[in-house]
C-alpha cells in the first residue's frame, strides 16, 4: 500500500504512526526536530513531554482521563505502553520518567519495519502526491505550515494568545441562587429569553470580589508569548478590574436587563454563565478569561453566590496555542473539509493535554489506516472517553467560542437515573468501557 504521511512526531503523531503501522500500512513520519526546534521542546526525541511529566489521574473508574488511559491501553496504544513501562511513584497519578518514556516511543517506531522516520520540516502545504496526510504538529506548529493551513481554512489566525475562561459543571451550580434569564428577556432556545444562568452579587460582595481579584496571584508571562495576538481581543478580568473599581460592573459583570426572582430587583452586579456544549452539562463563565493561578481561581470563583460548590471542568489560562476551529473545519473522522486528504491529530484539533493529544492521534491513525485498507470504520461511541472527546471537537462544541478542552465527564451523555458524585462517575465509566470493547471487537456482538 502507499504510505500515509504524518507531519509531527509528538504525542499524537507517534501514536498515529504506531496505530497505522500496527494495521499493516506503511508510514512516513516527518519530524522537524533537531533540524528546526520549537519554543518549548528541549530534545530531538519523539513524544517529548514539554512541561510536566504527569499523565494525570490513572483512576479509570472515577476519573475521565484515567478512563481515557484504559481505553487507549485496550486499543494497543504505544504511548500508554511506554508510559506504563516508565511509571514513577505518584499516588493515583500516572507520572513517567520523561527520558525513558520518549526513548521507548522512539525505539518502538524506529525498529518497526513499516515506519520511515525523516527529520525534516514540512514547511508548507504537503505535496499533492501525498494522498493521505495526518498533520500532528501541535500547539507550536512551525509558522510556515501554520500559515499554509490558515489560508486553506479561511480563518484569520491560527495561533492565539489563549485567554480562556473557566468552565463549570452544570450540576455543581446552585440553582436555588442562580436563575435563568437573558438580558431584557431577549432570545432563548424557546424564545423565552432564558439563555443565561445569572449569579447575583450585592455591593459588598462585588467590592470584596474585585479586591480579591486585584490581590490574586497571577501566572508569569513566557518570553515567547509576547508577539501572539489575544484571541478575540479578550482581556483578562484582572486587567479589566485594574482599570477602575466599577469597570467590571460596566463590563462582563453588568446587571442591566436582569431581575433576581428572589428579591424582585436588579442586583448590584452579576456573573453570567452560558451553555458550552450541546448536552448542557458544561457552562462557561462569560467574559471571565483570566491568568490568575489555578488555586486562586477556584477559591475566588467559589465566593460568587451560586458557585459556592462549583466544580470546574477547566480553569482559565493564557498561553500560545495553535489550533483549528475544528467544529467548523473538520469532519467526523478528523478530515479537513476543504481538503480531505489532510487529517488532523493532537492539540491542533483543539483537545488539551498529553493524553488527549495521543488519544486523538490514536483515533486519527485508525481512521486513516482503515481508509487506506478500504475497510469500513466507525467512530467510537459518544459514551466512551474517546468518543466524547471526538464528538466535542468535531461537532458538540460551539464553534463561535471553541477553545481547547481536556477530557471530562461533562462531555459524556448523561446516565439515566438519579446517581450523583462517585456513583455517577463509576456508572459512566463502566458504560464507557463496555461500549469501547464493543467498538474494538472485530465482529459486532449479537443484539442483547
Ligand atoms: P507535540 O507533542 O508538540 O508534537 C508536535 C511535533 O510536531 C513536535 O515534535 C514538533 O517538533 C513537530 N513539528 C511542528 N511543526 C512541524 C513541521 N512543520 N514539520 C515537521 N514537524 C513539525 N499538556 C499536559 O498534559 N501537561 C503539561 O504539562 C503541558 N504543558 C504544556 C506546556 C506548553 C508550553 C505547551 C505549549 C503545551 C503544554 N501542554 C501540556 C499541552 C499539550 O498536551 C502538549 O503540547 C502536547 O505535547 C501536544 O501533543 P501534540 O502531539 O499535539 O504536539
Amino acid at each position: 500500500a502507499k504510505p500515509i504521511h504524518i507531519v509531527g512526531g509528538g504525542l499524537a503523531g507517534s501514536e498515529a504512526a504506531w496505530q497505522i503501522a500496527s494495521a499493516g500500512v506503511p508510514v512516513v513520519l516527518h519530524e522537524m526536530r533537531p533540524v528546526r526546534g520549537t519554543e518549548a521542546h528541549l530534545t530531538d526525541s519523539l513524544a517529548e513531554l514539554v512541561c510536566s511529566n504527569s499523565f494525570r489521574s490513572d483512576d479509570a473508574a472515577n476519573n475521565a482521563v484515567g478512563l481515557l488511559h484504559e481505553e487507549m491501553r485496550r486499543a494497543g496504544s504505544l504511548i500508554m505502553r511506554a508510559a506504563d513501562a516508565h511509571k514513577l511513584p505518584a499516588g493515583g497519578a500516572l507520572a513517567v520518567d520523561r527520558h525513558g518514556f520518549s526513548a521507548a516511543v522512539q525505539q518502538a517506531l524506529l525498529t518497526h519495519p513499516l515506519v520511515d522516520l525523516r527529520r525534516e520540516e514540512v514547511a508548507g502545504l504537503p505535496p499533492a502526491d501525498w494522498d493521505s496526510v495526518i498533520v500532528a504538529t501541535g500547539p507550536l506548529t512551525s509558522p510556515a505550515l501554520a500559515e499554509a493551513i490558515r489560508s486553506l481554512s479561511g480563518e484569520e489566525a491560527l495561533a492565539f494568545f489563549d485567554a480562556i475562561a473557566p468552565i463549570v459543571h452544570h450540576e455543581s451550580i446552585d440553582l436555588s441562587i442562580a436563575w435563568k434569564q437573558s438580558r431584557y428577556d431577549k432570545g432563548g432556545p424557546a424564545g423565552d429569553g432564558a439563555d443565561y444562568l445569572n449569579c447575583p452579587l450585592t455591593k459588598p460582595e462585588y467590592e470584596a470580589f474585585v479586591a480579591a481579584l486585584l490581590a490574586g496571584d497571577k501566572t508569569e508571562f513566557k518570553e515567547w508569548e509576547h508577539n501572539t495576538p489575544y484571541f478575540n481581543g479578550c482581556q483578562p478580568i484582572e486587567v479589566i478590574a485594574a482599570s477602575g473599581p466599577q469597570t467590571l460592573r460596566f463590563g462582563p459583570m453588568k446587571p442591566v436587563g436582569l431581575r433576581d426572582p428572589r428579591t424582585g430587583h436588579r442586583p448590584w452586579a452579576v456573573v453570567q454563565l452560558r451553555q458550552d456544549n450541546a448536552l448542557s452539562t458544561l457552562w462557561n463563565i462569560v467574559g471571565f478569561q483570566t491568568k490568575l493561578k489555578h488555586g486562586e481561581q477556584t477559591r475566588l470563583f467559589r465566593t460568587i453566590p451560586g458557585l459556592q460548590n462549583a466544580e470546574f471542568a477547566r480553569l482559565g489560562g493564557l498561553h500560545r496555542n495553535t489550533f483549528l476551529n475544528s467544529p467548523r473545519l473538520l469532519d467526523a473522522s478528523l478530515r479537513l473539509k476543504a481538503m480531505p486528504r489532510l487529517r488532523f491529530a493532537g492539540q491542533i484539533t483543539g483537545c488539551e493535554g498529553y493524553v488527549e493529544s495521543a488519544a486523538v492521534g490514536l483515533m486519527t491513525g485508525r481512521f486513516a489506516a482503515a481508509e487506506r485498507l478500504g475497510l469500513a470504520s466507525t467512530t467510537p461511541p459518544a459514551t466512551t472517553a474517546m468518543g466524547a472527546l471526538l464528538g466535542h471537537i468535531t461537532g458538540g462544541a460551539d464553534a463561535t467560542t471553541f477553545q481547547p478542552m481536556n477530557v471530562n465527564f461533562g462531555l459524556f451523555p448523561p446516565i439515566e437515573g438519579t446517581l450523583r458524585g462517585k456513583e455517577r462517575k463509576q456508572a459512566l465509566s463502566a458504560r464507557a468501557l463496555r461500549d469501547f470493547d464493543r467498538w474494538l471487537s472485530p465482529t459486532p456482538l449479537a443484539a442483547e
Side-chain angles (χ1 to χ4, degrees):
K2 259 184 102 175
I4 293 170
H5 293 262
I6 300 177
V7 189
L11 276 302
S14 298
E15 183 64 54
W18 180 253
Q19 294 291 329
I20 293 168
S22 302
V25 176
V27 191
V28 183
L29 179 56
H30 307 261
E31 168 53 54
M32 69 176 182
R33 290 174 293 121
V35 181
R36 191 190 172 107
T38 79
E39 303 95 314
H41 290 85
L42 299 174
T43 74
D44 63 5
S45 297
L46 298 181
E48 177 181 334
L49 303 177
V50 287
C51 190
S52 108
N53 67 334
S54 173
F55 283 26
R56 318 202 308 278
S57 170
D58 200 27
D59 181 353
N62 293 290
N63 188 291
V65 78
L67 174 61
L68 191 56
H69 291 168
E70 180 56 23
E71 292 182 5
M72 292 172 72
R73 289 186 182 107
R74 294 184 186 194
S77 161
L78 172 61
I79 293 295
M80 289 310 299
R81 195 181 83 185
D84 288 335
H86 295 275
K87 189 176 155 102
L88 299 174
L94 175 56
V96 305
D97 172 298
R98 64 177 74 238
H99 299 296
F101 164 76
S102 292
V105 172
Q106 180 155 314
Q107 183 63 12
L109 290 172
L110 280 176
T111 53
H112 197 295
L114 290 175
V115 179
D116 174 7
L117 174 63
R118 298 190 192 158
R119 299 285 187 169
E120 63 194 14
E121 180 187 2
V122 175
L125 209 56
D129 63 328
W130 297 4
D131 66 339
S132 177
V133 182
I134 295 174
V135 180
T137 44
L140 306 169
T141 296
S142 75
L145 180 59
E147 182 50 34
I149 300 166
R150 190 200 61 75
S151 46
L152 253 188
S153 70
E155 301 272 303
E156 282 184 9
L158 283 182
F160 302 115
F161 232 164
D162 252 357
I164 59 183
I167 292 185
V168 180
H169 287 280
H170 183 266
E171 59 174 10
S172 70
I173 302 169
D174 185 344
L175 298 177
S176 71
I177 298 177
W179 78 97
K180 271 191 120 176
Q181 188 187 6
S182 302
R183 284 187 209 288
Y184 304 108
D185 300 316
K186 286 193 181 132
D192 58 356
D195 275 345
Y196 290 83
L197 272 169
N198 303 280
C199 301
L201 285 86
T202 60
K203 187 166 187 274
E205 284 164 348
Y206 172 79
E207 286 168 355
F209 180 77
V210 170
L213 198 55
L214 293 176
D217 203 355
K218 293 151 190 96
T219 52
E220 300 294 327
F221 267 67
K222 288 230 176 60
E223 198 61 52
W224 45 267
E225 286 174 334
H226 285 296
N227 295 324
T228 316
Y230 272 107
F231 181 65
N232 282 347
C234 300
Q235 279 202 314
I237 42 168
E238 59 276 12
V239 174
I240 302 175
S243 69
Q246 299 300 321
T247 321
L248 275 177
R249 225 164 68 75
F250 290 94
M253 296 179 75
K254 65 174 179 276
V256 297
L258 296 168
R259 191 171 298 277
D260 183 347
R262 289 184 310 159
T263 63
H265 297 294
R266 182 168 102 180
W268 182 256
V270 295
V271 171
Q272 288 200 304
L273 294 101
R274 182 177 48 218
Q275 186 174 334
D276 199 74
N277 65 342
L279 297 172
S280 187
T281 48
L282 300 174
W283 287 63
N284 71 68
I285 312 188
V286 182
F288 261 46
Q289 47 281 344
T290 172
K291 51 183 174 136
L292 288 179
K293 293 222 163 122
H294 282 179
E296 293 276 85
Q297 290 187 37
T298 311
R299 187 181 60 76
L300 190 58
F301 296 148
R302 285 189 185 146
T303 66
I304 297 166
L307 299 185
Q308 65 279 6
N309 300 317
E311 292 295 337
F312 295 90
R314 185 190 73 198
L315 286 161
L318 201 68
H319 68 86
R320 174 165 104 100
N321 201 349
T322 307
F323 66 98
L324 295 172
N325 192 324
S326 297
R328 188 155 40 219
L329 299 174
L330 301 185
D331 73 10
S333 77
L334 299 159
R335 282 182 302 214
L336 189 68
K337 289 176 194 162
M339 189 177 275
R341 73 183 172 97
L342 301 187
R343 276 196 159 79
F344 285 80
Q347 183 120 344
I348 198 169
T349 63
C351 65
E352 170 83 37
Y354 301 145
V355 183
E356 288 84 345
S357 296
V360 175
L362 185 151
M363 289 187 274
T364 318
R366 286 183 165 238
F367 299 153
E371 188 182 74
R372 176 62 94 222
L373 294 169
L375 301 172
S377 75
T378 55
T379 52
T383 48
T384 65
M386 282 200 214
L389 189 60
L390 182 68
H392 182 75
I393 292 168
T394 60
D398 180 347
T400 56
T401 59
F402 186 61
Q403 290 287 340
M405 179 63 112
N406 284 126
V407 70
N408 63 79
F409 281 123
L411 302 177
F412 291 59
I415 205 134
E416 296 289 315
T418 54
L419 296 177
R420 311 280 305 167
K422 230 177 148 90
E423 285 185 342
R424 188 182 70 94
K425 289 178 181 168
Q426 290 172 357
L428 285 168
S429 174
R431 180 181 70 176
L433 289 175
R434 189 195 63 212
D435 292 354
F436 193 75
D437 284 343
R438 246 178 240 182
W439 178 69
L440 275 181
S441 110
T443 46
L445 297 180
E448 283 165 1

Coordinates of all heavy atoms in Angstrom, one line a residue, residues 208-262:
A208 N -15.7 43.1 47.5 CA -14.8 42.1 48.1 C -14.2 41.3 46.9 O -13.0 41.0 46.9 CB -15.5 41.2 49.0
F209 N -15.1 41.0 45.9 CA -14.6 40.2 44.8 C -13.5 40.9 44.0 O -12.5 40.4 43.7 CB -15.8 39.8 43.9 CG -15.4 39.0 42.7 CD1 -15.2 37.6 42.8 CD2 -15.3 39.6 41.4 CE1 -14.8 36.9 41.7 CE2 -15.0 38.8 40.3 CZ -14.7 37.5 40.5
V210 N -13.8 42.2 43.7 CA -12.8 43.0 42.9 C -11.5 43.1 43.7 O -10.4 43.0 43.1 CB -13.4 44.4 42.6 CG1 -12.4 45.3 42.0 CG2 -14.6 44.2 41.6
A211 N -11.6 43.3 45.0 CA -10.4 43.5 45.8 C -9.6 42.2 45.8 O -8.3 42.2 45.6 CB -10.7 43.9 47.3
A212 N -10.2 41.1 45.9 CA -9.5 39.8 45.9 C -8.9 39.5 44.5 O -7.8 38.9 44.4 CB -10.5 38.7 46.3
L213 N -9.6 39.9 43.5 CA -9.1 39.7 42.1 C -7.8 40.5 41.9 O -6.8 40.0 41.4 CB -10.2 40.3 41.2 CG -10.2 39.9 39.7 CD1 -10.3 38.4 39.6 CD2 -11.5 40.5 39.1
L214 N -7.8 41.7 42.4 CA -6.6 42.5 42.2 C -5.4 42.0 43.1 O -4.3 42.2 42.6 CB -6.9 44.0 42.6 CG -7.9 44.7 41.6 CD1 -8.2 46.1 42.1 CD2 -7.3 44.7 40.2
A215 N -5.7 41.4 44.2 CA -4.7 40.9 45.1 C -4.2 39.5 44.6 O -3.2 39.1 45.1 CB -5.2 40.9 46.5
G216 N -5.0 38.9 43.7 CA -4.7 37.5 43.4 C -3.4 37.3 42.7 O -2.8 38.1 42.1
D217 N -2.9 36.0 42.9 CA -1.6 35.6 42.4 C -1.7 35.3 40.9 O -2.5 34.5 40.5 CB -1.2 34.4 43.2 CG 0.3 34.2 43.1 OD1 1.0 34.9 42.4 OD2 0.8 33.2 43.8
K218 N -0.9 36.0 40.0 CA -1.0 35.8 38.6 C 0.1 35.0 38.0 O 1.2 35.0 38.6 CB -1.1 37.1 37.9 CG -2.4 37.9 38.2 CD -2.3 39.4 38.2 CE -3.5 40.0 38.8 NZ -3.4 40.3 40.2
T219 N -0.2 34.3 36.9 CA 0.9 33.5 36.3 C 1.9 34.4 35.6 O 1.5 35.5 35.1 CB 0.4 32.4 35.4 OG1 -0.5 33.1 34.5 CG2 -0.4 31.3 36.1
E220 N 3.1 34.0 35.4 CA 4.1 34.7 34.7 C 3.9 34.6 33.2 O 3.6 33.5 32.7 CB 5.5 34.2 35.1 CG 5.8 34.3 36.5 CD 6.0 35.7 37.0 OE1 6.4 36.6 36.2 OE2 5.6 36.0 38.2
F221 N 4.2 35.6 32.5 CA 4.2 35.5 31.0 C 5.5 34.8 30.6 O 6.5 35.0 31.1 CB 4.3 36.9 30.4 CG 2.9 37.5 30.1 CD1 2.0 37.7 31.1 CD2 2.5 37.7 28.8 CE1 0.8 38.2 30.8 CE2 1.3 38.1 28.5 CZ 0.4 38.4 29.5
K222 N 5.4 34.0 29.5 CA 6.6 33.4 29.0 C 7.1 34.4 27.9 O 6.4 35.0 27.2 CB 6.3 32.1 28.3 CG 6.0 31.0 29.3 CD 6.8 29.8 29.0 CE 6.6 28.7 30.0 NZ 5.2 28.3 30.0
E223 N 8.4 34.5 27.8 CA 9.2 35.3 26.9 C 8.6 35.3 25.5 O 8.2 36.3 24.9 CB 10.6 34.8 26.9 CG 11.7 35.7 26.3 CD 11.8 37.0 27.1 OE1 12.0 37.0 28.4 OE2 11.7 38.1 26.5
W224 N 8.4 34.0 25.0 CA 8.0 33.9 23.6 C 6.5 34.1 23.3 O 6.0 33.9 22.3 CB 8.4 32.5 23.1 CG 8.1 31.4 24.0 CD1 8.9 30.9 25.0 CD2 6.9 30.6 24.1 NE1 8.3 29.8 25.7 CE2 7.1 29.6 25.2 CE3 5.7 30.6 23.4 CZ2 6.1 28.7 25.5 CZ3 4.7 29.7 23.8 CH2 4.9 28.7 24.8
E225 N 5.8 34.5 24.4 CA 4.3 34.7 24.2 C 4.0 36.1 23.7 O 2.9 36.4 23.4 CB 3.6 34.4 25.5 CG 3.5 32.9 25.7 CD 2.9 32.5 27.0 OE1 2.9 33.4 28.0 OE2 2.4 31.4 27.2
H226 N 5.0 37.0 23.7 CA 4.7 38.4 23.5 C 4.1 38.8 22.1 O 3.4 39.7 22.1 CB 5.9 39.2 23.8 CG 6.2 39.3 25.3 ND1 5.3 39.9 26.1 CD2 7.1 38.8 26.1 CE1 5.7 39.8 27.4 NE2 6.8 39.1 27.4
N227 N 4.5 38.1 21.1 CA 4.0 38.5 19.8 C 2.7 37.9 19.3 O 2.3 38.2 18.2 CB 5.1 38.2 18.7 CG 6.4 39.1 19.0 OD1 6.2 40.2 19.5 ND2 7.5 38.5 18.8
T228 N 2.1 37.1 20.1 CA 0.9 36.4 19.6 C -0.3 37.2 20.0 O -0.4 37.7 21.2 CB 0.9 35.0 20.3 OG1 2.2 34.4 20.1 CG2 -0.1 34.1 19.6
P229 N -1.3 37.4 19.1 CA -2.4 38.2 19.5 C -3.4 37.6 20.5 O -3.4 36.4 20.6 CB -3.2 38.4 18.2 CG -2.8 37.2 17.4 CD -1.4 36.8 17.8
Y230 N -4.1 38.4 21.3 CA -5.1 37.9 22.1 C -6.2 37.3 21.3 O -6.6 37.9 20.3 CB -5.8 39.0 23.0 CG -5.1 39.3 24.3 CD1 -4.3 40.4 24.4 CD2 -5.2 38.4 25.3 CE1 -3.7 40.7 25.6 CE2 -4.6 38.6 26.5 CZ -3.8 39.8 26.7 OH -3.2 40.0 27.9
F231 N -6.8 36.2 21.7 CA -7.9 35.6 21.0 C -9.1 36.5 21.1 O -9.5 36.9 22.2 CB -8.2 34.2 21.6 CG -9.3 33.5 20.9 CD1 -9.2 33.1 19.6 CD2 -10.5 33.2 21.6 CE1 -10.3 32.4 19.0 CE2 -11.5 32.6 21.0 CZ -11.4 32.2 19.6
N232 N -9.7 36.9 20.0 CA -10.9 37.8 20.0 C -10.6 39.1 20.8 O -11.6 39.7 21.3 CB -12.1 37.1 20.6 CG -12.7 36.2 19.6 OD1 -12.4 36.2 18.4 ND2 -13.6 35.4 20.1
G233 N -9.4 39.5 21.0 CA -9.1 40.6 21.8 C -9.6 40.6 23.3 O -9.8 41.6 23.9
C234 N -9.8 39.3 23.8 CA -10.3 39.2 25.1 C -9.3 39.7 26.2 O -8.2 39.3 26.1 CB -10.6 37.7 25.5 SG -11.7 36.9 24.4
Q235 N -9.8 40.5 27.1 CA -8.9 40.9 28.1 C -9.1 40.1 29.4 O -10.3 39.9 29.7 CB -9.1 42.4 28.5 CG -8.4 43.3 27.5 CD -8.3 44.7 28.2 OE1 -9.2 45.2 28.8 NE2 -7.1 45.2 28.1
P236 N -8.1 39.7 30.1 CA -8.3 39.0 31.4 C -9.1 39.9 32.4 O -8.9 41.1 32.4 CB -6.9 38.7 31.9 CG -6.0 38.8 30.7 CD -6.7 39.8 29.8
I237 N -10.0 39.3 33.2 CA -10.8 40.1 34.1 C -9.9 40.9 35.1 O -10.3 42.0 35.5 CB -11.8 39.3 34.9 CG1 -11.2 38.0 35.5 CG2 -13.1 39.0 34.2 CD1 -12.1 37.3 36.5
E238 N -8.8 40.4 35.5 CA -8.0 41.2 36.5 C -7.4 42.4 35.8 O -7.2 43.4 36.5 CB -6.9 40.3 37.1 CG -5.9 39.7 36.2 CD -6.4 38.3 35.6 OE1 -7.6 38.0 35.7 OE2 -5.5 37.6 35.0
V239 N -7.2 42.4 34.5 CA -6.7 43.5 33.7 C -7.9 44.6 33.6 O -7.7 45.8 33.9 CB -6.2 43.1 32.3 CG1 -5.9 44.3 31.5 CG2 -5.0 42.2 32.5
I240 N -9.1 44.1 33.4 CA -10.2 45.0 33.3 C -10.4 45.6 34.7 O -10.6 46.9 34.8 CB -11.5 44.2 32.9 CG1 -11.3 43.6 31.6 CG2 -12.7 45.2 32.9 CD1 -12.5 42.7 31.1
A241 N -10.4 44.8 35.8 CA -10.6 45.3 37.1 C -9.6 46.4 37.5 O -9.9 47.3 38.2 CB -10.6 44.2 38.1
A242 N -8.4 46.2 37.0 CA -7.3 47.1 37.4 C -7.5 48.5 36.9 O -7.0 49.5 37.3 CB -6.0 46.6 36.9
S243 N -8.4 48.7 35.9 CA -8.6 50.0 35.3 C -9.7 50.8 36.1 O -9.9 52.0 35.7 CB -9.0 49.9 33.8 OG -10.3 49.3 33.7
G244 N -10.2 50.3 37.1 CA -11.2 51.1 37.9 C -12.1 50.2 38.7 O -12.5 49.1 38.2
P245 N -12.5 50.5 39.9 CA -13.3 49.7 40.8 C -14.7 49.3 40.2 O -15.3 48.3 40.5 CB -13.5 50.4 42.1 CG -13.1 51.8 41.8 CD -12.1 51.8 40.6
Q246 N -15.2 50.2 39.3 CA -16.6 49.9 38.7 C -16.5 49.3 37.3 O -17.5 49.0 36.8 CB -17.4 51.2 38.7 CG -17.6 51.9 40.0 CD -18.4 51.0 41.0 OE1 -19.3 50.3 40.6 NE2 -18.0 51.0 42.2
T247 N -15.3 49.2 36.8 CA -15.2 48.8 35.3 C -15.9 47.5 35.1 O -16.6 47.3 34.1 CB -13.7 48.8 34.9 OG1 -13.1 49.9 35.5 CG2 -13.6 48.9 33.4
L248 N -15.7 46.5 35.9 CA -16.3 45.2 35.7 C -17.8 45.2 35.7 O -18.5 44.5 35.0 CB -15.8 44.2 36.8 CG -14.5 43.5 36.5 CD1 -14.1 42.6 37.7 CD2 -14.5 42.6 35.2
R249 N -18.3 46.2 36.5 CA -19.8 46.3 36.7 C -20.4 47.0 35.4 O -21.6 46.9 35.2 CB -20.1 47.2 37.9 CG -21.2 46.7 38.7 CD -21.2 47.3 40.1 NE -21.6 48.8 40.0 CZ -22.8 49.3 39.8 NH1 -23.8 48.4 39.6 NH2 -23.0 50.6 39.8
F250 N -19.5 47.6 34.6 CA -20.0 48.1 33.3 C -19.5 47.2 32.2 O -19.7 47.5 31.0 CB -19.5 49.5 33.1 CG -20.2 50.5 34.0 CD1 -19.6 50.8 35.3 CD2 -21.4 51.0 33.7 CE1 -20.3 51.7 36.1 CE2 -22.1 51.9 34.5 CZ -21.5 52.2 35.8
G251 N -18.8 46.1 32.5 CA -18.3 45.2 31.5 C -19.0 43.8 31.7 O -20.2 43.7 31.8
P252 N -18.2 42.7 31.9 CA -18.8 41.4 32.0 C -19.7 41.2 33.2 O -20.5 40.3 33.1 CB -17.6 40.5 32.1 CG -16.4 41.3 32.2 CD -16.7 42.7 31.8
M253 N -19.6 42.0 34.2 CA -20.5 41.8 35.4 C -21.7 42.8 35.4 O -22.3 43.0 36.5 CB -19.7 41.9 36.7 CG -18.6 40.8 36.8 SD -17.6 40.9 38.3 CE -18.7 40.3 39.5
K254 N -22.0 43.4 34.3 CA -23.1 44.4 34.3 C -24.4 43.7 34.6 O -24.7 42.7 34.0 CB -23.1 45.3 33.1 CG -23.4 44.6 31.8 CD -23.5 45.7 30.7 CE -23.8 45.1 29.3 NZ -22.6 44.6 28.6
P255 N -25.2 44.4 35.4 CA -26.5 43.7 35.8 C -27.7 44.2 35.0 O -28.8 43.8 35.3 CB -26.7 44.2 37.3 CG -26.0 45.5 37.3 CD -24.9 45.5 36.3
V256 N -27.5 45.1 34.0 CA -28.7 45.7 33.3 C -29.5 44.6 32.6 O -29.0 43.6 32.1 CB -28.2 46.7 32.3 CG1 -27.5 47.9 32.9 CG2 -27.3 46.1 31.2
G257 N -30.8 44.9 32.7 CA -31.8 44.0 32.0 C -32.0 42.7 32.7 O -32.6 41.8 32.1
L258 N -31.6 42.6 34.0 CA -31.8 41.4 34.7 C -32.5 41.6 36.1 O -32.3 42.7 36.7 CB -30.4 40.7 35.0 CG -29.7 40.3 33.8 CD1 -28.2 39.9 34.1 CD2 -30.3 39.1 33.1
R259 N -33.3 40.7 36.5 CA -34.0 40.9 37.8 C -33.9 39.5 38.5 O -34.3 38.5 38.0 CB -35.5 41.2 37.5 CG -36.3 41.6 38.7 CD -37.7 42.1 38.2 NE -37.6 43.3 37.3 CZ -37.4 44.5 37.8 NH1 -37.4 44.8 39.1 NH2 -37.3 45.5 36.9
D260 N -33.4 39.6 39.8 CA -33.3 38.4 40.6 C -34.7 38.0 41.1 O -35.3 38.8 41.8 CB -32.3 38.8 41.8 CG -32.1 37.5 42.6 OD1 -32.7 36.5 42.5 OD2 -31.1 37.6 43.5
P261 N -35.1 36.8 40.7 CA -36.5 36.5 41.2 C -36.7 36.4 42.7 O -37.8 36.5 43.2 CB -36.7 35.1 40.5 CG -35.4 34.6 40.1 CD -34.5 35.8 39.9
R262 N -35.6 36.2 43.4 CA -35.7 36.1 44.9 C -36.0 37.4 45.5 O -36.6 37.5 46.6 CB -34.5 35.4 45.5 CG -34.3 33.9 45.1 CD -33.1 33.3 45.8 NE -31.9 34.2 45.6 CZ -30.9 34.2 46.4 NH1 -30.8 33.4 47.4 NH2 -29.8 34.9 46.1

